Every structure is written in structure tokens, then in C-alpha cells.
């Protein structure tokens, strides 16, 4: 990728200007990032020094980060994750305070990939790595109005012993597909796919579910997602199938497996039943469309009794790849995400589908906290 000015320098300038109010980063590596950019440009690596951020203090060692570096990406710093003292994970703690949602400072950005979502939403990084064990990429992507991908469980190496967490990546939009593929192509059956696949034939077969058969969804959140789905149908991007997307609530099963009891009878029953139902739903290359979360971003004091993960963690149990795309806003200015779920191993196809879906929806606006671009941006 050819640049007349340093993309890393521009990213660092934005971080210096915006992060004191947003608290998305816990540490920065300016000298190393600039050096990597110079090397990537000199060696003509595919990403050409593209600035990206990594999730948390150990993110630089993740497989996704190593894939991006090998392709010529330049990590600029580590982003915020939840701090100690609370059991809920949809928030972040930056170097100088709690991480702020770039759309509403009184709301959380989601988590646990909190700072990663804020960094890409505000242009402080063009990509950011994440990990997703219950929705930790998709929830902050939805609540910050960006694109987020959870890869197929087991496709890429993960330190999570439970098998629930998988690598993820966040970007301003699905148009970053060529860069995202540098991560996805690290393993699995899609690894041999061509770098620039032909567009998928439209309309895409899809199943829509507001609640997966069990979740209580905020009516305004549901209305925003349904309007986006209707727009996709009207544009000829999606063709809805008459399949019933009723799954079993995974809360007890997920909790048992996370707690080290994968053979718990309830966990085995829920997992088997939902796997069978998802196989039927996704046959023939169909997508499953749902809201990402049943609720809008909550305040910094916590979610109360709500499970923001109600519509995401079923796919950590099943292992399916899933993505979040901006769907619109509630009346109080909170972003809402549309979740796309595909068959196991169909990560590259999911990226192509997400790009087609994004092209049919209104362009996501830039959050007010992003401010004005620097000169030369």
C-alpha cells in the first residue's frame, strides 16, 4: 500500500490528541511502530506499515498480531480491557481512566475488547485485534459502530483452555476485508482461498431472528435491526428463508464450560441441540441475522441484571464465525449492531457477505469523539 505521508505518524498524532479523553490505550510504542512501518514499506509487504492496535497487555503476542506484523502491519500500542473490581466485562480501563464510548461519554464502549473498538471507531488505528469468548469483539463493535469479526473457534490458536474464546479483529468497516483476510487466512479450510475472491452471488440466503427464541430484546434495538434487514431484502442483497431460528438459551451451558465442566449434562444437551438446529438453519450457505445485543450500551456503573451477551455467546459454544456490522442508531444516539453468523470454517465467505451487506446499508457516520482529522489526513 503506497502512502505519501506516514500513516503511523498520523495515527500517533490522533492518539495524542484524542486518547486523553477516550482512554482507549494502556501503552504506546511510537518508535517501534515507525521503525516497523519503514521496514514494511522498504520490503513492500502487503500491509505497507498499516497502523493497528492490539488488545490488552499480552495482545502483541497473539496469533492475530503476529499475522498482521508478518504482513507488514505496525502495532502502535495496546488497548484497554476491563480492570479489577467488577464481574462484568463490558467496559475498559485505560491508562488514565475508564474507556469512553465515542458516541456517548456516559455509556460504556462494550468489552472486553473495549479500547480496540474505540481506537478503530475514532481513527486512532485502522485495525485492532481482539478476542471473543462470549461476545467480546462483537459487543464493543456494535456499541462503537464499527465492524467486528469473531473467527471460527479453533481456526486460529487461542490460549483459552475452555475452547470458548477465539481470535477476532475490528475495523472501521468491512471494506477492510483485504486486511482482515491476513488474519483469517492464518489457518483452516479457507486458508487456500484466493486473496481477492469474486463477489458472492446475490441475494444471499439468510434467516432472521430477533431473539433466537429466548432473549428479551429492547424493542427499539429490535426495530433498528429489522429495518436494516428489510433494507437488505429491498436492495436484493438478502433473501429471507422461512426457517425457525429457535435455539436453547446457552447461559447455563456456557457457564458450566467456562467453569471447567464441559461434561455437565445440561451443557452437553444444550450444545448438541443447538448444533443440530444451527446446522439446519445454515444449510446451503445460509446466513443467520440477529441483533448483536438485546440492549443498548449501558452506563459505566454496569449492566444491572441484563446479559449483553444473550445473543452472542451461543456462537462461542457452537464455534461458528460471527460478525457485527453497524445497523443504525436508537433515538438516544446509541449505535446498534447487526450480527451475521455463517457455517463453521466459512470465515472468508462471511467477510465477503459482510462487505455485500455493508454496501447495501447507509454508510456508518464518524462518532463525534473522533473530532476533525489532522491536516493531511
Amino acid at each position: 500500500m503506497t502512502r505519501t505521508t506516514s500513516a503511523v505518524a498520523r495515527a500517533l498524532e490522533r492518539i495524542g490528541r484524542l486518547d486523553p479523553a477516550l482512554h482507549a490505550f494502556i501503552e504506546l510504542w511510537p518508535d517501534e511502530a515507525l521503525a516497523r512501518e519503514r521496514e514494511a514499506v522498504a520490503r513492500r509487504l502487503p500491509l505497507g506499515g498499516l497502523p493497528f492496535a492490539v488488545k490488552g497487555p499480552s495482545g502483541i503476542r497473539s496469533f492475530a498480531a503476529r499475522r498482521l506484523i508478518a504482513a507488514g502491519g505496525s502495532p502502535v500500542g495496546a488497548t484497554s480491557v476491563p480492570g479489577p473490581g467488577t464481574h462484568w466485562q463490558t467496559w475498559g480501563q485505560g491508562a488514565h481512566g475508564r474507556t469512553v464510548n465515542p458516541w456517548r461519554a456516559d455509556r460504556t464502549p462494550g468489552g472486553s475488547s473495549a479500547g480496540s473498538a474505540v481506537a478503530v471507531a475514532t481513527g486512532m488505528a485502522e485495525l485492532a485485534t481482539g478476542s471473543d469468548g462470549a461476545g467480546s469483539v462483537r459487543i464493543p463493535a456494535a456499541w462503537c459502530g464499527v465492524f467486528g469479526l469473531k473467527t471460527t473457534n479453533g481456526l486460529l490458536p487461542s490460549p483459552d483452555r475452555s475452547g470458548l474464546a477465539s481470535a477476532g479483529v475490528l475495523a472501521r468497516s468491512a471494506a477492510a476485508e483485504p486486511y482482515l483476510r491476513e488474519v483469517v487466512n492464518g489457518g483452516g479450510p479457507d486458508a487456500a482461498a484466493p486473496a481477492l475472491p469474486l463477489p458472492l452471488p446475490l441475494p444471499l440466503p439468510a434467516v432472521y431472528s430477533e431473539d433466537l427464541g429466548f432473549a428479551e430484546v429492547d424493542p427499539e434495538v429490535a426495530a433498528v435491526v429489522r429495518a436494516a434487514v428489510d433494507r437488505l431484502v429491498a436492495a436484493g442483497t438478502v433473501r429471507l428463508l422461512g426457517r425457525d431460528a429457535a435455539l436453547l438459551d446457552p447461559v447455563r451451558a456456557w457457564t458450566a464450560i467456562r467453569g471447567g465442566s464441559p461434561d455437565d449434562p445440561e451443557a452437553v444437551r444444550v450444545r448438541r441441540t443447538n448444533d443440530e438446529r444451527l446446522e439446519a438453519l445454515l444449510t446451503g450457505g445460509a446466513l443467520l441475522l440477529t441483533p448483536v445485543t438485546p440492549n443498548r450500551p449501558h452506563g459505566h456503573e454496569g449492566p444491572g441484571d441484563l446479559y449483553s451477551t444473550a445473543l452472542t455467546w451461543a456462537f462461542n459454544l457452537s464455534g461458528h464465525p460471527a460478525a457485527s456490522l453497524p445497523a443504525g442508531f436508537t433515538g438516544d444516539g446509541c449505535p446498534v449492531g447487526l450480527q451475521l453468523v455463517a457455517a463453521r470454517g466459512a470465515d472468508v465467505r462471511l467477510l465477503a457477505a459482510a462487505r455485500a451487506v455493508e454496501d447495501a446499508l447507509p454508510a456508518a457516520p464518524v462518532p463525534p469523539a473522533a473530532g476533525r482529522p489532522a491536516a493531511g489526513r
Side-chain angles (χ1 to χ4, degrees):
M1 184 174 180
T2 302
R3 294 182 176 87
T4 56
T5 58
S6 170
V8 168
R10 294 198 301 270
L12 292 169
E13 185 279 331
R14 286 185 70 79
I15 294 169
R17 181 158 47 90
L18 300 178
D19 201 52
L22 295 170
H23 307 155
F25 284 87
I26 55 175
E27 55 184 282
L28 297 173
W29 313 309
D31 294 339
E32 296 93 329
L34 289 165
R36 286 188 189 276
E37 181 184 38
R38 288 192 295 269
E39 180 184 6
V41 171
R43 294 175 58 193
R44 299 185 178 181
L45 295 176
L47 297 189
L50 186 86
F52 73 94
V54 302
K55 176 184 177 179
S58 62
I60 193 64
R61 298 193 297 273
S62 69
F63 183 83
R66 287 185 280 120
R67 284 287 303 175
L68 290 170
I69 291 171
S74 299
V76 295
T79 59
S80 65
V81 293
T86 180
H87 66 279
W88 51 275
Q89 300 292 298
T90 49
W91 70 301
Q93 184 73 25
H96 304 292
R98 64 190 183 193
T99 310
V100 171
N101 189 300
W103 292 96
R104 285 194 50 162
D106 63 333
R107 304 292 176 94
T108 176
S112 59
S113 306
S116 287
V118 175
V120 298
T122 55
M124 293 189 286
E126 295 195 38
L127 294 179
T129 66
S131 57
D132 191 314
S136 292
V137 165
R138 289 162 288 165
I139 292 170
W143 287 354
C144 291
V146 299
F147 176 78
L149 172 72
K150 178 197 91 70
T151 57
T152 297
N153 290 43
L155 177 72
L156 305 177
S158 169
D160 179 43
R161 294 182 178 180
S162 73
L164 295 171
S166 59
V169 63
L170 300 99
R172 185 75 184 90
S173 81
E177 176 194 356
Y179 306 142
L180 302 174
R181 286 169 60 84
E182 293 293 340
V183 175
V184 171
N185 280 353
D190 278 338
L196 294 173
L198 294 174
L200 295 176
L202 302 179
L204 304 169
V207 179
Y208 172 68
S209 177
E210 175 183 306
D211 57 10
L212 293 177
F214 59 82
E216 294 184 12
V217 181
D218 179 325
E220 193 174 357
V221 169
V224 170
V225 174
R226 181 71 221 204
V229 171
D230 289 344
R231 187 182 183 106
L232 295 173
V233 172
T237 303
V238 159
R239 172 175 58 88
L240 293 181
L241 306 174
R243 299 175 185 173
D244 183 16
L247 303 183
L248 299 180
D249 189 340
V251 56
R252 289 179 57 190
W254 187 95
T255 303
I257 293 170
R258 176 61 82 186
S261 302
D263 297 325
D264 175 85
E266 173 69 2
V268 171
R269 181 183 74 87
V270 169
R271 193 171 234 175
R272 180 183 297 121
T273 300
N274 282 354
D275 281 354
E276 291 172 353
R277 294 180 182 180
L278 284 167
E279 184 177 0
L281 284 173
L282 300 175
T283 188
L287 299 169
L288 175 59
L289 310 178
T290 78
V292 174
T293 64
N295 53 318
R296 64 193 77 193
H298 55 74
H300 292 282
E301 73 282 356
D305 296 329
L306 295 172
Y307 277 107
S308 303
T309 55
L311 296 168
T312 52
W313 53 8
F315 310 111
N316 297 91
L317 272 179
S318 69
H320 290 77
S324 174
L325 283 166
F329 294 82
T330 53
D332 57 354
C334 292
V336 174
L338 167 66
Q339 180 170 227
L340 279 65
V341 182
R344 293 186 192 91
D347 298 64
V348 169
R349 186 178 187 278
L350 178 58
L351 283 174
R355 191 162 187 180
V357 166
E358 184 178 85
D359 287 345
L361 296 175
V366 176
R372 294 183 178 181
R377 176 72 174 170

